[in-house]
């Protein structure tokens, strides 16, 4: 039993490391060859876990081979657009200039109902509002509405806007992020002084505190638990 547990942990750690090396894409964002490799890696890892008669190395070597293949294909795709088109394919234009492209639908084995369903997922309920719809190589649908159907932006109304950068998480579950404080050119003394203005004497009482690009601090205290 102990051997199975150890083998499982080794393979689990190996697969997690490999998936991190492959990148942070979600399953729905994987290219076809990446999805195939991910499925094969999971299958190869499962066999040595279930059968301890199979040497562990017999599972590790094929997994590392697939990782090498994935990195190689990705590198080739980065260096050559023609190779990437062969490996990953090209986007298909399902709607062009407001008109459904029936030939592309047949080629991709995509029904009109599938197209309408994906448009609804994109919060578009009238196909007449669509100028272009592209089926990306990872299977997701990108939609470009007609210009008169797009949401109004401040630029359309000539309204000036302020710059909005990413907020920095200063405290998460009572733990101070010294790295983010440094990025904001602040220190712990500033944080303690700011918290004291809100009647907070201990950062550990804070569930979350974040700093926006204008220097405003948002915070929420932890719920008090009765012992």
């Amino acid at each position: 039993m102990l051997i199975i547990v150890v083998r499982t942990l080794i393979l689990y750690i190996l697969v997690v490391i490999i998936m991190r090396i492959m990148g942070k894409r979600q399953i729905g964002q994987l290219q076809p060859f990446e999805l195939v490799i991910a499925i094969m890696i999971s299958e190869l890892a499962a066999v040595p876990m279930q059968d301890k008669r199979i040497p562990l190395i017999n599972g590790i070597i094929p997994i590392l081979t697939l990782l090498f293949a994935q990195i190689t294909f990705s590198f080739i795709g980065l260096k050559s657009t023609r190779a990437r088109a062969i490996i990953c394919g090209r986007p298909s234009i399902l709607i062009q200039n407001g008109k459904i492209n029936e030939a592309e639908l047949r080629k991709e084995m995509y029904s009109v109902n599938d197209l309408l369903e994906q448009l609804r997922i994109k919060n578009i309920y009238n196909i007449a509002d669509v100028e272009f719809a592209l089926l990306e190589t990872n299977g997701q649908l990108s939609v470009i509405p007609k210009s008169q159907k797009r949401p109004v932006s401040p630029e359309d109304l000539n309204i000036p806007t302020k710059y909005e950068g990413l907020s920095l998480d200063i405290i998460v579950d009572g733990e101070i992020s010294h790295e983010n404080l440094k990025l904001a050119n602040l220190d712990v003394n500033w944080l303690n002084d700011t918290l004291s203005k809100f009647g907070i004497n201990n950062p550990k009482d804070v569930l979350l505190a974040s700093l926006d690009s204008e220097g405003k601090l948002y915070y929420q205290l932890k719920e008090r638990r009765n012992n």
Side-chain angles (χ1 to χ4, degrees):
M1 180 63 71
L2 181 60
I3 294 176
I4 295 177
V5 172
V6 173
R7 286 162 64 97
T8 301
L9 289 175
I10 292 173
L11 289 168
Y12 169 74
I13 294 172
L14 177 64
V15 171
V16 169
I17 292 173
I18 287 175
M19 297 306 291
R20 288 294 302 271
I21 293 174
M22 287 176 61
K24 296 183 178 180
R25 300 189 191 184
Q26 299 177 2
I27 293 298
Q29 298 174 331
L30 294 177
Q31 297 295 336
F33 80 95
E34 293 174 326
L35 181 59
V36 169
I37 288 176
I39 293 173
M40 291 180 68
I41 286 176
S42 65
E43 290 293 331
L44 288 169
V47 174
M49 287 182 190
Q50 298 171 352
D51 191 349
K52 62 182 180 181
R53 294 173 299 177
I54 299 175
L56 193 59
I57 195 69
N58 287 6
I60 293 177
I61 290 177
I63 291 174
L64 294 178
T65 302
L66 288 175
L67 173 62
F68 176 77
Q70 193 273 339
I71 293 175
T72 302
F73 283 135
S74 296
F75 181 77
I76 293 173
L78 288 173
K79 294 297 181 180
S80 171
T81 54
R82 181 176 297 179
R84 182 171 179 81
I86 295 173
I87 296 171
C88 302
R90 290 186 173 91
S92 298
I93 303 178
L94 303 185
I95 299 178
Q96 186 172 11
N97 297 322
K99 184 179 179 180
I100 297 174
N101 192 333
E102 295 184 55
E104 285 297 318
L105 285 179
R106 288 193 295 268
K107 177 183 174 182
E108 299 295 339
M109 294 184 289
Y110 217 77
S111 71
V112 174
N113 286 333
D114 293 332
L115 178 59
L116 294 174
E117 178 183 346
Q118 291 302 314
L119 290 175
R120 289 194 295 270
I121 291 174
K122 298 289 185 178
N123 294 322
I124 296 177
Y125 303 100
N126 188 352
I127 198 170
D129 296 341
V130 179
E131 189 71 31
F132 288 92
L134 294 87
L135 185 62
E136 305 291 356
T137 55
N138 60 11
Q140 294 188 347
L141 190 72
S142 298
V143 181
I144 302 175
K146 293 181 178 178
S147 57
Q148 59 269 35
K149 295 295 182 179
R150 296 173 195 166
V152 176
S153 67
E155 184 180 9
D156 295 330
L157 302 176
N158 294 320
I159 299 175
T161 58
K162 295 181 180 179
Y163 169 77
E164 293 183 0
L166 292 175
S167 63
L168 296 174
D169 296 330
I170 304 301
I171 301 176
V172 178
D173 200 12
E175 295 293 329
I176 298 174
S177 174
H178 296 278
E179 180 181 355
N180 285 345
L181 272 176
K182 186 177 180 180
L183 286 174
N185 295 320
L186 301 171
D187 55 22
V188 175
N189 291 330
W190 172 88
L191 179 61
N192 288 331
D193 290 341
T194 304
L195 292 177
S196 64
K197 294 177 182 178
F198 298 108
I200 304 170
N201 298 318
N202 191 345
K204 293 190 178 297
D205 296 334
V206 179
L207 179 66
L208 175 67
S210 62
L211 192 71
D212 65 17
S213 56
E214 294 183 351
K216 296 179 181 178
L217 186 71
Y218 164 85
Y219 72 92
Q220 179 176 332
L221 295 175
K222 294 182 180 179
E223 294 182 356
R224 296 187 179 276
R225 298 180 181 179
N226 297 322
N227 296 327

